[in-house]
Amino acid sequence: MTDVERLIQLLARLPGLGPRSARRAALHLLKKRETLMGPLTQALEAVSRTVRTCSVCGNIDTLDPCGICSDGKRDPAVICVLEEVGDLWALERTGSFKGRYHVLGGHLSALDGIGPEDLNIAMLVERAQQDTVKEVILATNLTIDGQTTAHYIAERLRAAGVSVTRLAHGVPVGGELDYLDDGTLTAALRARRAVES
Amino acid sequence: MTDVERLIQLLARLPGLGPRSARRAALHLLKKRETLMGPLTQALEAVSRTVRTCSVCGNIDTLDPCGICSDGKRDPAVICVLEEVGDLWALERTGSFKGRYHVLGGHLSALDGIGPEDLNIAMLVERAQQDTVKEVILATNLTIDGQTTAHYIAERLRAAGVSVTRLAHGVPVGGELDYLDDGTLTAALRARRAVES
Protein backbone atom coordinates (compact mmCIF):
# COMPACT_ATOMS: atom_id res chain seq x y z
CA MET A 1 0.00 0.00 0.00
CA THR A 2 1.35 3.45 -0.88
CA ASP A 3 1.51 6.31 1.60
CA VAL A 4 -1.42 8.01 -0.12
CA GLU A 5 -3.55 4.85 0.01
CA ARG A 6 -2.75 4.50 3.70
CA LEU A 7 -3.75 8.13 4.31
CA ILE A 8 -7.05 7.59 2.47
CA GLN A 9 -7.74 4.43 4.47
CA LEU A 10 -7.21 6.27 7.76
CA LEU A 11 -9.26 9.30 6.72
CA ALA A 12 -12.10 6.95 5.76
CA ARG A 13 -12.29 5.87 9.41
CA LEU A 14 -13.32 9.35 10.52
CA PRO A 15 -17.06 9.69 11.16
CA GLY A 16 -18.72 11.46 8.24
CA LEU A 17 -16.14 10.37 5.65
CA GLY A 18 -16.59 7.31 3.44
CA PRO A 19 -14.05 5.83 1.01
CA ARG A 20 -15.03 8.30 -1.70
CA SER A 21 -14.93 11.45 0.42
CA ALA A 22 -11.72 10.23 2.08
CA ARG A 23 -10.14 10.15 -1.37
CA ARG A 24 -11.34 13.68 -2.05
CA ALA A 25 -10.05 14.81 1.36
CA ALA A 26 -6.62 13.28 0.69
CA LEU A 27 -6.39 15.00 -2.70
CA HIS A 28 -7.45 18.28 -1.12
CA LEU A 29 -4.71 17.88 1.49
CA LEU A 30 -2.16 17.17 -1.25
CA LYS A 31 -3.28 20.26 -3.12
CA LYS A 32 -3.03 22.43 0.00
CA ARG A 33 0.23 21.09 1.36
CA GLU A 34 1.48 24.33 2.90
CA THR A 35 -1.80 25.81 4.06
CA LEU A 36 -3.67 22.70 5.24
CA MET A 37 -1.67 19.45 5.34
CA GLY A 38 1.23 20.96 7.30
CA PRO A 39 -0.91 22.79 9.86
CA LEU A 40 -3.19 19.74 10.28
CA THR A 41 -0.21 17.47 10.96
CA GLN A 42 1.07 19.96 13.54
CA ALA A 43 -2.38 20.31 15.15
CA LEU A 44 -2.66 16.53 15.50
CA GLU A 45 0.79 16.38 17.07
CA ALA A 46 -0.04 19.24 19.44
CA VAL A 47 -3.29 17.60 20.48
CA SER A 48 -1.72 14.22 21.15
CA ARG A 49 1.05 15.91 23.10
CA THR A 50 -1.04 18.23 25.24
CA VAL A 51 -4.58 16.91 25.53
CA ARG A 52 -5.41 14.34 28.19
CA THR A 53 -8.51 12.81 29.75
CA CYS A 54 -9.53 14.30 33.11
CA SER A 55 -9.09 11.63 35.78
CA VAL A 56 -12.03 13.04 37.73
CA CYS A 57 -14.77 13.57 35.16
CA GLY A 58 -13.58 12.08 31.84
CA ASN A 59 -13.58 15.44 30.04
CA ILE A 60 -10.65 16.19 27.72
CA ASP A 61 -8.38 19.13 28.43
CA THR A 62 -4.75 20.12 28.62
CA LEU A 63 -5.08 20.05 32.43
CA ASP A 64 -5.82 17.15 34.77
CA PRO A 65 -8.12 17.71 36.62
CA CYS A 66 -9.72 19.62 33.75
CA GLY A 67 -10.55 23.31 33.72
CA ILE A 68 -14.15 22.66 34.74
CA CYS A 69 -13.30 20.28 37.62
CA SER A 70 -10.73 22.74 39.00
CA ASP A 71 -12.91 25.84 38.51
CA GLY A 72 -13.89 26.98 42.02
CA LYS A 73 -16.78 29.02 40.63
CA ARG A 74 -18.61 25.93 39.35
CA ASP A 75 -21.07 24.32 41.75
CA PRO A 76 -19.61 21.05 43.11
CA ALA A 77 -23.06 20.03 44.42
CA VAL A 78 -24.45 19.15 40.97
CA ILE A 79 -22.96 16.60 38.55
CA CYS A 80 -24.37 16.26 35.04
CA VAL A 81 -23.73 12.80 33.57
CA LEU A 82 -23.15 12.59 29.80
CA GLU A 83 -22.24 9.90 27.31
CA GLU A 84 -19.56 11.75 25.36
CA VAL A 85 -17.33 14.82 25.50
CA GLY A 86 -19.29 16.17 22.52
CA ASP A 87 -22.41 16.26 24.72
CA LEU A 88 -20.44 18.24 27.31
CA TRP A 89 -19.39 20.73 24.64
CA ALA A 90 -23.04 21.04 23.55
CA LEU A 91 -24.15 21.84 27.10
CA GLU A 92 -21.24 24.25 27.64
CA ARG A 93 -22.23 26.12 24.46
CA THR A 94 -25.63 26.83 26.00
CA GLY A 95 -23.90 28.49 28.98
CA SER A 96 -26.87 27.42 31.13
CA PHE A 97 -25.21 24.84 33.37
CA LYS A 98 -22.85 25.90 36.13
CA GLY A 99 -22.23 22.58 37.89
CA ARG A 100 -19.67 19.84 37.22
CA TYR A 101 -19.77 17.06 34.63
CA HIS A 102 -19.13 13.36 34.39
CA VAL A 103 -18.44 11.81 30.98
CA LEU A 104 -19.20 8.09 30.73
CA GLY A 105 -17.40 7.52 27.44
CA GLY A 106 -20.36 5.80 25.79
CA HIS A 107 -23.46 3.86 26.77
CA LEU A 108 -24.26 0.31 27.85
CA SER A 109 -24.88 -1.89 24.83
CA ALA A 110 -25.54 -5.61 24.93
CA LEU A 111 -25.18 -5.69 21.16
CA ASP A 112 -21.69 -4.15 21.15
CA GLY A 113 -20.68 -5.98 24.33
CA ILE A 114 -20.27 -2.77 26.34
CA GLY A 115 -20.87 -3.41 30.03
CA PRO A 116 -20.71 -1.13 33.12
CA GLU A 117 -16.99 -1.87 33.61
CA ASP A 118 -16.27 -0.43 30.14
CA LEU A 119 -17.75 2.93 31.10
CA ASN A 120 -16.56 5.57 33.55
CA ILE A 121 -19.24 4.57 36.10
CA ALA A 122 -17.26 3.42 39.17
CA MET A 123 -15.67 6.86 39.42
CA LEU A 124 -19.11 8.49 39.22
CA VAL A 125 -20.40 6.38 42.13
CA GLU A 126 -17.32 7.38 44.12
CA ARG A 127 -17.86 11.07 43.35
CA ALA A 128 -21.58 10.88 44.20
CA GLN A 129 -20.74 9.55 47.68
CA GLN A 130 -18.84 12.72 48.57
CA ASP A 131 -20.75 14.94 50.97
CA THR A 132 -20.55 17.97 48.70
CA VAL A 133 -22.58 16.29 45.95
CA LYS A 134 -26.35 16.80 46.29
CA GLU A 135 -27.71 16.09 42.81
CA VAL A 136 -26.80 13.95 39.81
CA ILE A 137 -28.50 14.87 36.52
CA LEU A 138 -28.65 11.94 34.10
CA ALA A 139 -28.31 13.50 30.65
CA THR A 140 -27.56 10.43 28.54
CA ASN A 141 -29.10 10.37 25.06
CA LEU A 142 -32.81 9.63 24.69
CA THR A 143 -32.04 6.44 22.80
CA ILE A 144 -32.84 2.98 24.15
CA ASP A 145 -29.19 2.37 25.04
CA GLY A 146 -28.85 5.84 26.58
CA GLN A 147 -31.94 5.34 28.73
CA THR A 148 -30.86 1.84 29.76
CA THR A 149 -27.58 3.36 30.88
CA ALA A 150 -29.43 6.08 32.85
CA HIS A 151 -31.60 3.47 34.59
CA TYR A 152 -28.57 1.40 35.49
CA ILE A 153 -26.73 4.42 36.92
CA ALA A 154 -29.82 5.52 38.88
CA GLU A 155 -29.83 2.06 40.54
CA ARG A 156 -26.12 2.27 41.33
CA LEU A 157 -26.57 5.74 42.87
CA ARG A 158 -29.49 4.77 45.09
CA ALA A 159 -27.22 4.09 48.08
CA ALA A 160 -25.27 7.33 47.65
CA GLY A 161 -28.06 9.48 49.10
CA VAL A 162 -28.08 12.02 46.28
CA SER A 163 -31.07 13.30 44.38
CA VAL A 164 -31.06 11.78 40.86
CA THR A 165 -32.79 13.76 38.12
CA ARG A 166 -33.05 13.67 34.32
CA LEU A 167 -33.47 16.30 31.62
CA ALA A 168 -37.06 17.27 30.77
CA HIS A 169 -38.51 15.58 27.68
CA GLY A 170 -40.80 17.55 25.42
CA VAL A 171 -41.26 19.62 22.33
CA PRO A 172 -37.94 21.12 21.18
CA VAL A 173 -37.86 24.92 21.10
CA GLY A 174 -38.88 25.94 17.57
CA GLY A 175 -40.30 22.46 16.97
CA GLU A 176 -43.51 22.03 14.97
CA LEU A 177 -45.91 19.46 16.40
CA ASP A 178 -46.75 18.11 12.99
CA TYR A 179 -43.16 17.00 12.44
CA LEU A 180 -42.57 15.50 15.88
CA ASP A 181 -42.44 11.78 16.52
CA ASP A 182 -45.20 10.23 18.64
CA GLY A 183 -42.86 9.43 21.54
CA THR A 184 -41.81 13.04 22.01
CA LEU A 185 -45.37 14.30 21.68
CA THR A 186 -46.63 11.75 24.24
CA ALA A 187 -43.81 12.68 26.62
CA ALA A 188 -44.54 16.39 26.18
CA LEU A 189 -48.24 15.84 26.87
CA ARG A 190 -47.61 13.75 29.99
CA ALA A 191 -45.15 16.33 31.34
CA ARG A 192 -47.47 19.30 30.67
CA ARG A 193 -47.22 22.19 33.08
CA ALA A 194 -49.55 24.90 34.31
CA VAL A 195 -49.27 28.13 32.37
CA GLU A 196 -47.98 30.84 34.65
CA SER A 197 -50.01 34.00 34.30
CA MET B 1 -7.70 29.09 20.67
CA THR B 2 -6.94 25.71 22.22
CA ASP B 3 -5.18 22.89 20.36
CA VAL B 4 -8.45 21.00 20.04
CA GLU B 5 -10.26 24.04 18.62
CA ARG B 6 -7.46 24.51 16.11
CA LEU B 7 -7.69 20.84 15.09
CA ILE B 8 -11.47 21.16 14.61
CA GLN B 9 -11.02 24.31 12.54
CA LEU B 10 -8.53 22.57 10.22
CA LEU B 11 -10.63 19.41 9.90
CA ALA B 12 -13.62 21.58 8.94
CA ARG B 13 -11.66 22.72 5.87
CA LEU B 14 -11.63 19.21 4.43
CA PRO B 15 -14.23 18.66 1.72
CA GLY B 16 -17.19 16.75 3.11
CA LEU B 17 -16.72 17.93 6.69
CA GLY B 18 -18.57 20.92 8.17
CA PRO B 19 -18.04 22.50 11.60
CA ARG B 20 -20.30 19.92 13.26
CA SER B 21 -18.80 16.82 11.66
CA ALA B 22 -15.29 18.25 12.20
CA ARG B 23 -16.09 18.35 15.94
CA ARG B 24 -17.24 14.74 15.82
CA ALA B 25 -14.13 13.75 13.85
CA ALA B 26 -11.85 15.47 16.39
CA LEU B 27 -13.57 13.70 19.29
CA HIS B 28 -13.32 10.40 17.45
CA LEU B 29 -9.58 10.99 16.97
CA LEU B 30 -9.19 11.79 20.67
CA LYS B 31 -11.03 8.59 21.57
CA LYS B 32 -8.86 6.51 19.23
CA ARG B 33 -5.49 8.05 20.05
CA GLU B 34 -3.39 4.93 19.61
CA THR B 35 -5.27 3.29 16.76
CA LEU B 36 -6.23 6.30 14.66
CA MET B 37 -4.76 9.67 15.70
CA GLY B 38 -1.18 8.37 15.88
CA PRO B 39 -1.29 6.47 12.56
CA LEU B 40 -3.04 9.39 10.83
CA THR B 41 -0.37 11.85 12.01
CA GLN B 42 2.31 9.49 10.73
CA ALA B 43 0.53 8.96 7.41
CA LEU B 44 0.30 12.73 6.89
CA GLU B 45 4.00 13.11 7.67
CA ALA B 46 4.90 10.25 5.32
CA VAL B 47 2.80 11.71 2.52
CA SER B 48 4.27 15.18 2.85
CA ARG B 49 7.77 13.71 2.95
CA THR B 50 7.46 11.29 0.04
CA VAL B 51 4.71 12.38 -2.32
CA ARG B 52 5.49 14.92 -5.04
CA THR B 53 3.86 16.26 -8.18
CA CYS B 54 5.10 14.73 -11.44
CA SER B 55 6.92 17.43 -13.41
CA VAL B 56 5.78 15.86 -16.69
CA CYS B 57 2.06 15.16 -16.21
CA GLY B 58 0.99 16.70 -12.88
CA ASN B 59 0.08 13.34 -11.31
CA ILE B 60 1.12 12.76 -7.70
CA ASP B 61 3.49 9.96 -6.85
CA THR B 62 6.59 9.18 -4.81
CA LEU B 63 8.57 9.26 -8.07
CA ASP B 64 9.22 12.13 -10.48
CA PRO B 65 8.50 11.44 -13.34
CA CYS B 66 5.61 9.42 -11.91
CA GLY B 67 5.12 5.67 -12.28
CA ILE B 68 2.79 6.13 -15.23
CA CYS B 69 5.05 8.55 -17.12
CA SER B 70 8.05 6.25 -16.64
CA ASP B 71 6.16 3.04 -17.45
CA GLY B 72 7.51 1.87 -20.81
CA LYS B 73 4.46 -0.36 -21.35
CA ARG B 74 2.08 2.60 -21.50
CA ASP B 75 1.45 4.08 -24.92
CA PRO B 76 3.26 7.44 -25.25
CA ALA B 77 1.21 8.28 -28.36
CA VAL B 78 -1.99 9.04 -26.43
CA ILE B 79 -2.35 11.67 -23.67
CA CYS B 80 -5.57 11.91 -21.69
CA VAL B 81 -6.11 15.40 -20.23
CA LEU B 82 -7.88 15.61 -16.86
CA GLU B 83 -8.77 18.34 -14.40
CA GLU B 84 -7.66 16.64 -11.19
CA VAL B 85 -5.63 13.71 -9.89
CA GLY B 86 -8.91 12.23 -8.61
CA ASP B 87 -10.10 11.97 -12.23
CA LEU B 88 -6.88 10.13 -13.10
CA TRP B 89 -7.52 7.68 -10.26
CA ALA B 90 -11.06 7.15 -11.51
CA LEU B 91 -9.81 6.30 -15.02
CA GLU B 92 -7.04 4.06 -13.66
CA ARG B 93 -9.64 2.14 -11.63
CA THR B 94 -11.42 1.22 -14.86
CA GLY B 95 -8.20 -0.30 -16.20
CA SER B 96 -9.36 0.59 -19.71
CA PHE B 97 -6.81 3.29 -20.59
CA LYS B 98 -3.24 2.37 -21.38
CA GLY B 99 -1.86 5.74 -22.53
CA ARG B 100 -0.34 8.62 -20.56
CA TYR B 101 -2.09 11.37 -18.61
CA HIS B 102 -1.89 15.11 -18.16
CA VAL B 103 -3.43 16.66 -15.05
CA LEU B 104 -4.37 20.34 -15.41
CA GLY B 105 -4.91 21.00 -11.70
CA GLY B 106 -8.37 22.53 -12.19
CA HIS B 107 -10.38 24.30 -14.86
CA LEU B 108 -10.56 27.79 -16.30
CA SER B 109 -12.96 29.93 -14.30
CA ALA B 110 -13.63 33.61 -14.89
CA LEU B 111 -15.59 33.68 -11.63
CA ASP B 112 -12.71 32.35 -9.52
CA GLY B 113 -10.11 34.25 -11.54
CA ILE B 114 -8.41 31.10 -12.82
CA GLY B 115 -6.75 31.73 -16.19
CA PRO B 116 -4.68 29.50 -18.51
CA GLU B 117 -1.44 30.45 -16.75
CA ASP B 118 -2.82 29.03 -13.47
CA LEU B 119 -3.26 25.60 -15.01
CA ASN B 120 -0.73 23.04 -16.21
CA ILE B 121 -1.42 23.91 -19.88
CA ALA B 122 1.93 25.18 -21.22
CA MET B 123 3.53 21.84 -20.36
CA LEU B 124 0.73 20.00 -22.18
CA VAL B 125 1.31 22.05 -25.36
CA GLU B 126 5.00 21.25 -25.11
CA ARG B 127 4.31 17.52 -24.70
CA ALA B 128 1.82 17.49 -27.58
CA GLN B 129 4.49 18.89 -29.91
CA GLN B 130 6.70 15.84 -29.43
CA ASP B 131 6.68 13.53 -32.44
CA THR B 132 5.66 10.50 -30.39
CA VAL B 133 2.31 12.05 -29.43
CA LYS B 134 -0.49 11.32 -31.92
CA GLU B 135 -3.69 11.93 -29.93
CA VAL B 136 -4.83 14.11 -27.04
CA ILE B 137 -8.09 13.06 -25.37
CA LEU B 138 -9.79 15.96 -23.58
CA ALA B 139 -11.49 14.41 -20.56
CA THR B 140 -12.29 17.50 -18.51
CA ASN B 141 -15.59 17.47 -16.62
CA LEU B 142 -18.84 17.97 -18.53
CA THR B 143 -19.49 21.20 -16.66
CA ILE B 144 -19.51 24.61 -18.32
CA ASP B 145 -16.07 25.43 -16.91
CA GLY B 146 -14.72 22.00 -17.83
CA GLN B 147 -15.96 22.32 -21.40
CA THR B 148 -14.65 25.90 -21.70
CA THR B 149 -11.27 24.57 -20.62
CA ALA B 150 -11.46 21.77 -23.21
CA HIS B 151 -12.31 24.26 -25.99
CA TYR B 152 -9.45 26.51 -24.97
CA ILE B 153 -6.97 23.61 -24.96
CA ALA B 154 -8.23 22.35 -28.31
CA GLU B 155 -7.44 25.80 -29.76
CA ARG B 156 -3.99 25.81 -28.23
CA LEU B 157 -3.25 22.33 -29.60
CA ARG B 158 -4.34 23.15 -33.15
CA ALA B 159 -0.79 23.96 -34.22
CA ALA B 160 0.69 20.85 -32.64
CA GLY B 161 -0.59 18.56 -35.38
CA VAL B 162 -2.14 16.00 -33.05
CA SER B 163 -5.60 14.52 -33.25
CA VAL B 164 -7.73 16.02 -30.45
CA THR B 165 -10.66 13.93 -29.20
CA ARG B 166 -13.11 13.98 -26.29
CA LEU B 167 -14.93 11.32 -24.29
CA ALA B 168 -18.27 10.14 -25.68
CA HIS B 169 -21.34 11.74 -24.11
CA GLY B 170 -24.43 9.64 -23.58
CA VAL B 171 -26.54 7.54 -21.28
CA PRO B 172 -24.46 6.22 -18.36
CA VAL B 173 -24.29 2.43 -18.11
CA GLY B 174 -27.14 1.38 -15.84
CA GLY B 175 -28.80 4.78 -16.29
CA GLU B 176 -32.58 5.04 -16.56
CA LEU B 177 -33.79 7.46 -19.22
CA ASP B 178 -36.54 8.77 -16.97
CA TYR B 179 -33.99 10.07 -14.44
CA LEU B 180 -31.56 11.60 -16.96
CA ASP B 181 -31.25 15.31 -17.53
CA ASP B 182 -32.29 16.71 -20.90
CA GLY B 183 -28.75 17.63 -21.92
CA THR B 184 -27.46 14.07 -21.55
CA LEU B 185 -30.47 12.64 -23.35
CA THR B 186 -30.07 15.11 -26.23
CA ALA B 187 -26.36 14.32 -26.49
CA ALA B 188 -27.06 10.57 -26.44
CA LEU B 189 -29.65 10.93 -29.18
CA ARG B 190 -27.38 13.05 -31.40
CA ALA B 191 -24.51 10.61 -30.96
CA ARG B 192 -26.66 7.53 -31.70
CA ARG B 193 -24.91 4.65 -33.41
CA ALA B 194 -25.98 1.82 -35.69
CA VAL B 195 -26.78 -1.41 -33.85
CA GLU B 196 -24.27 -4.03 -34.82
CA SER B 197 -25.94 -7.31 -35.65
Side-chain angles (χ1 to χ4, degrees), chain A residues 79-193:
Chain A
I79 296 175
C80 180
V81 179
L82 304 156
E83 292 186 25
E84 301 286 356
V85 174
D87 304 330
L88 186 158
W89 290 355
L91 257 170
E92 279 298 286
R93 281 198 297 276
T94 69
S96 57
F97 180 67
K98 294 296 172 204
R100 307 289 173 93
Y101 291 104
H102 195 87
V103 179
L104 297 172
H107 50 241
L108 297 176
S109 167
L111 219 63
D112 299 331
I114 297 169
E117 66 289 345
D118 300 312
L119 301 176
N120 191 13
I121 293 178
M123 185 67 190
L124 172 63
V125 174
E126 202 177 298
R127 289 179 74 191
Q129 281 160 349
Q130 292 165 4
D131 285 342
T132 42
V133 179
K134 304 297 177 207
E135 179 182 358
V136 173
I137 305 171
L138 300 176
T140 51
N141 288 331
L142 282 190
T143 53
I144 292 177
D145 282 344
Q147 291 307 293
T148 307
T149 311
H151 280 296
Y152 175 83
I153 292 174
E155 281 298 313
R156 288 280 300 267
L157 292 180
R158 195 172 277 182
V162 289
S163 134
V164 177
T165 58
R166 64 162 177 76
L167 295 184
H169 304 172
V171 182
V173 175
E176 296 182 53
L177 296 198
D178 198 14
Y179 291 94
L180 274 182
D181 63 291
D182 296 351
T184 302
L185 216 46
T186 308
L189 192 64
R190 282 204 192 126
R192 66 191 179 277
R193 300 173 59 175

Side-chain angles (χ1 to χ4, degrees), chain A residues 3-4 7 26 29-42 45, chain B residues 40-53 60-62:
Chain A
D3 289 334
V4 176
L7 175 63
L29 284 165
L30 279 160
K31 254 196 132 165
K32 312 265 179 192
R33 266 161 197 264
E34 306 303 322
T35 56
L36 187 55
M37 188 153 68
L40 181 61
T41 312
Q42 282 157 25
E45 276 164 354
Chain B
L40 181 61
T41 313
Q42 282 157 25
L44 282 165
E45 275 165 354
V47 162
S48 34
R49 204 173 48 236
T50 64
V51 177
R52 57 207 78 245
T53 301
I60 53 164
D61 200 347
T62 49

Side-chain angles (χ1 to χ4, degrees), chain A residues 6 68 143:
Chain A
R6 171 117 185 98
I68 294 173
T143 53

Side-chain angles (χ1 to χ4, degrees), chain A residues 3-4 6-8 10-11 13-17 20-21 23-33 35-37 39-41 43-53 60 62 83-87 89 93 105-106, chain B residues 3-4 6-8 10-11 13-17 20-21 23-33 35-37 39-41 43-53 60 62 83-87 89 93 105-106:
Chain A
D3 289 334
V4 176
R6 171 117 185 98
L7 175 63
I8 293 171
L10 288 163
L11 286 170
R13 285 172 53 197
L14 292 177
L17 289 180
R20 205 187 184 91
S21 45
R23 250 192 331 253
R24 287 182 51 218
L27 282 169
H28 190 75
L29 284 165
L30 279 160
K31 254 196 132 165
K32 312 265 179 192
R33 266 161 197 264
T35 56
L36 187 55
M37 188 153 68
L40 181 61
T41 312
L44 282 165
E45 276 164 354
V47 162
S48 36
R49 206 174 44 239
T50 63
V51 176
R52 56 208 79 243
T53 301
I60 53 164
T62 48
E83 292 186 25
E84 301 286 356
V85 174
D87 304 330
W89 290 355
R93 281 198 297 276
Chain B
D3 289 335
V4 176
R6 171 117 185 98
L7 176 63
I8 293 171
L10 289 164
L11 286 171
R13 285 173 52 197
L14 292 177
L17 287 180
R20 205 187 184 90
S21 46
R23 248 189 335 251
R24 287 182 51 219
L27 282 169
H28 189 74
L29 284 165
L30 279 160
K31 255 196 132 167
K32 312 265 177 189
R33 265 161 197 262
T35 57
L36 188 55
M37 187 152 69
L40 181 61
T41 313
L44 282 165
E45 275 165 354
V47 162
S48 34
R49 204 173 48 236
T50 64
V51 177
R52 57 207 78 245
T53 301
I60 53 164
T62 49
E83 292 186 23
E84 301 286 356
V85 174
D87 303 331
W89 291 355
R93 280 197 297 277

